[in-house]
Amino acid sequence: MQITLEALRAIVGPSHVLTGDDVHSRRVDWMTGAPCQAGAIVRPANTEQVAAVMKACHAVEQTVVTHGGLTGLVHGAEASPDELVISLERMTAIEAIDQVGGTLTVQAGTPLQRVQEAAREVGLQFPLDLGARGSCTIGGNIATNAGGVRVIRYGMMRQQVLGLEAVMANGRVISSMNRMLKNNAGFDLKQLFIGSEGTLGIVTRAVLRLQPPTPSEQTALVACPSFEALTGLLSQMGKALGGSLGAFEVMWQNHYRLLTETLGRHTPPIAPEHPFYVIIECLGSDDERNAIQFREALESALENEVIVDAVIAQSHTQRDGLWAIREDIEGLIKGLAPLFTFDVSLPIADMQRYIDALEAQLAQRWPDARLVVFGHLGDGNLHISVSAGSDDVAVRREVEAMVYQPLAVLGGSVSAEHGIGLEKRPWLSTCRSTDEIELMQSLKQALDPYQLLNRGKILS
Ligand code: FAD
């Protein structure tokens, strides 16, 4: 490393500069458990310390990688032995909640679930929600522009951020802690840092937008007889429930059957014989009204034959049981290993043709290959898992080509919500034009000319 441990210790104190086993015992890849290889980890307590660390790094051209909760899925947190990791794990304060304005001000290392709980405690809600809620951090959610299961109702992380503060590569602090819904005074600088995966700045604090609570959550698992029925169901539910439609999470039969019947990890609430299963949520403030609206919408879907079976959760435990099938990523890994996972988006109308073609291509190349699909259908987002019997890099490249290349023709994206990191960098040009990539490079050059922040992530 270019920077000395003494310089870092002088800023954050000796106990907050980690080396050796304290570094290597950290896992930087949730899927494989790969250990952190960084030269050292520094744990600042506040924005001033992050800025001082970056100033010192800038002076000696030390590259850094920022760590949040390490749940990212595209190798964005990987660091080499000559790199320094800046971990925000000590920056977990919820600084303020403005109940009138509906805002929450927070340090970026705070876990998402803590923010959800804090909002709930004052009778409001923070609606971003994903399976990694207990570990992922607000800074990581901002850096990756996280999505999750409530996007159909509330949008992605970008829509939840009113203001933020970031430390630039040279240690300068850009404090853009706007608390209003409207602020058109010049460029909206926070957008530079949302979704740029730590390549343009280190997010240290944020002002988040809170929403009114939806204490009544009606949840159902339904079965659909065909893809046409599935898309018909989505538009019917959109019309019948309007703004109350809180989630529309689809599992292809191969996903549902694997986690219920094949692995026996969950009792199937509906027999695993139908082509598609959907978890639908209806969010509201009044339990009785919400329940009636939801039941009527499902009855009409049954009459129209866009669904053939349905189970409505009668308790929190039953609701959690339905979601447990959808969120059982560990089960997927156990059931399919070795596997490759993908997070793509494409127009909904093209999805089934795309999946059918992929399945055929996989079967032709590896007759025993397995394909499992689920996703946030309403957002045009599919999560695809492929097991081709090997985790060899060459096999991975072949599978990647099968998954990603068709997206160029369809106007899809190689990353719906996980970002690019290192993993998808070779495929960025599949869904971004040369002009777009050159503009991204110009921005990187302008804000971080020495390429100190997350070097090589997103852009080469
Ligand atoms: P990390 O993994 O620590 O970092 C991710 C990237 O952000 C890295 O490039 C890192 O350098 C950068 N970064 C982290 N903190 C900062 C900061 N303060 N400033 C600047 N850069 C920073 N994602 C979804 O979008 N939707 C889902 O539904 C979803 N479900 C998941 C379910 C599971 C079980 C798991 C393991 C992951 C899931 N993810 C999902 C992916 C992951 O949780 C998100 O990408 C999350 O936003 C990452 O947050 P993190 O704090 O763990 O970030």
Side-chain angles (χ1 to χ4, degrees):
M1 292 203 306
Q2 301 297 314
I3 195 149
T4 63
L5 298 179
E6 288 66 38
L8 296 170
R9 287 181 186 127
I11 297 167
V12 297
S15 56
H16 298 300
V17 179
L18 310 183
T19 55
D21 282 350
D22 289 338
V23 173
H24 307 315
S25 59
R26 297 201 174 198
R27 305 283 162 227
V28 285
D29 183 33
W30 190 86
M31 292 291 282
T32 63
C36 183
Q37 305 284 1
I41 295 177
V42 63
R43 304 188 299 179
N46 50 41
T47 305
E48 291 68 35
Q49 290 189 0
V50 177
V53 168
M54 275 320 301
K55 240 177 222 146
C57 288
H58 190 254
V60 294
E61 297 191 23
Q62 171 63 53
T63 54
V64 305
V65 175
T66 308
H67 277 188
L70 298 179
T71 65
L73 297 173
V74 291
H75 304 283
E78 276 182 17
S80 55
D82 55 356
E83 290 189 304
L84 172 70
V85 161
I86 299 183
S87 169
L88 297 198
E89 67 201 66
R90 292 173 67 212
M91 295 177 56
T92 58
I94 292 178
E95 297 178 348
I97 300 183
D98 172 357
Q99 293 187 52
V100 177
T103 66
L104 184 149
T105 305
V106 66
Q107 285 185 314
T110 309
L112 169 61
Q113 192 169 333
R114 270 278 293 126
V115 168
Q116 292 173 333
E117 286 164 0
R120 222 173 287 133
E121 278 161 23
V122 297
L124 293 168
Q125 67 161 321
F126 182 64
L128 188 92
D129 196 24
L130 38 136
R133 63 184 75 79
S135 309
C136 67
T137 63
I138 291 301
N141 298 153
I142 292 174
T144 59
N145 186 24
V149 296
R150 291 264 191 262
V151 172
I152 198 167
R153 170 74 177 80
Y154 295 102
M156 298 181 78
M157 188 62 174
R158 192 180 297 283
Q159 278 76 41
Q160 323 307 328
V161 181
L162 291 175
L164 58 73
E165 177 183 85
V167 173
M168 312 289 292
N170 60 6
R172 188 171 185 178
V173 179
I174 299 293
S175 197
S176 199
M177 297 286 279
N178 169 65
R179 292 192 290 148
M180 291 82 67
L181 211 51
K182 290 183 171 176
N183 184 345
N184 276 351
F187 295 178
D188 188 0
L189 295 173
K190 67 177 181 287
Q191 303 298 352
L192 284 172
F193 305 102
I194 304 174
S196 55
E197 300 179 49
T199 59
L200 301 183
I202 300 174
V203 179
T204 46
R205 295 163 69 224
V207 181
L208 305 176
R209 183 180 177 190
L210 301 181
Q211 299 287 347
T214 50
S216 170
E217 292 182 349
Q218 295 288 324
T219 309
L221 176 77
V222 305
C224 284
S226 66
F227 189 76
E228 290 65 38
L230 185 62
T231 53
L233 175 67
L234 175 62
S235 62
Q236 269 194 40
M237 286 295 145
K239 283 180 198 147
L241 304 179
S244 306
L245 179 60
F248 193 90
E249 294 292 305
V250 177
M251 296 172 270
W252 265 241
Q253 188 199 65
N254 47 35
H255 179 270
Y256 184 77
R257 187 184 284 276
L258 175 73
L259 292 169
T260 56
E261 191 180 74
T262 313
L263 297 176
R265 288 173 69 90
H266 310 270
T267 308
I270 298 175
E273 65 199 23
H274 305 286
F276 300 96
Y277 296 81
V278 192
I279 292 179
I280 307 175
E281 275 199 345
C282 180
L283 308 176
S285 51
D286 181 281
D287 247 345
E288 203 181 320
R289 203 155 11 109
N290 201 27
I292 293 170
Q293 188 188 18
F294 194 45
R295 210 173 318 114
E296 283 177 359
L298 291 177
E299 278 165 9
S300 133
L302 269 168
E303 275 164 27
N304 296 339
E305 298 179 353
V306 291
I307 60 177
V308 288
D309 206 347
V311 172
I312 301 180
Q314 301 299 328
S315 64
H316 282 296
T317 312
Q318 283 184 9
R319 176 187 180 274
D320 292 347
L322 298 182
W323 275 107
I325 305 173
R326 160 64 182 80
E327 293 189 336
D328 190 359
I329 310 295
E330 275 178 34
L332 266 192
I333 297 172
K334 280 203 177 108
L336 290 178
L339 84 166
F340 307 122
T341 60
F342 302 94
D343 155 54
V344 301
S345 59
L346 67 156
I348 298 171
D350 295 318
M351 279 180 179
Q352 190 56 44
R353 242 172 304 127
Y354 166 80
I355 292 295
D356 288 345
L358 175 61
E359 196 159 26
Q361 229 184 332
L362 287 166
Q364 196 179 19
R365 177 70 179 85
W366 299 281
D368 294 331
R370 285 188 296 161
L371 172 70
V372 164
V373 185
F374 67 102
H376 319 285
L377 188 100
D379 316 334
N381 180 186
L382 294 181
H383 293 304
I384 297 171
S385 304
V386 174
S387 176
S390 158
D391 54 7
D392 200 79
V393 178
V395 175
R396 175 166 192 109
R397 292 286 167 260
E398 266 192 83
V399 178
E400 281 178 350
M402 290 179 192
V403 172
Y404 292 143
Q405 269 164 1
L407 296 172
V409 183
L410 297 171
S413 170
V414 299
S415 178
E417 58 178 9
H418 293 166
I420 294 294
L422 287 178
E423 183 180 303
K424 300 188 183 189
R425 197 179 66 183
W427 297 98
L428 185 61
S429 59
T430 310
C431 57
R432 292 293 198 186
S433 68
T434 307
D435 288 333
E436 284 178 301
I437 293 173
E438 281 178 8
L439 181 54
M440 291 183 206
Q441 283 163 336
S442 303
L443 283 170
K444 173 74 176 166
Q445 185 61 26
L447 299 184
D448 181 13
Y450 297 154
Q451 312 279 317
L452 300 183
L453 297 167
N454 277 5
R455 181 181 284 181
K457 313 281 165 58
I458 305 182
L459 302 165
S460 41

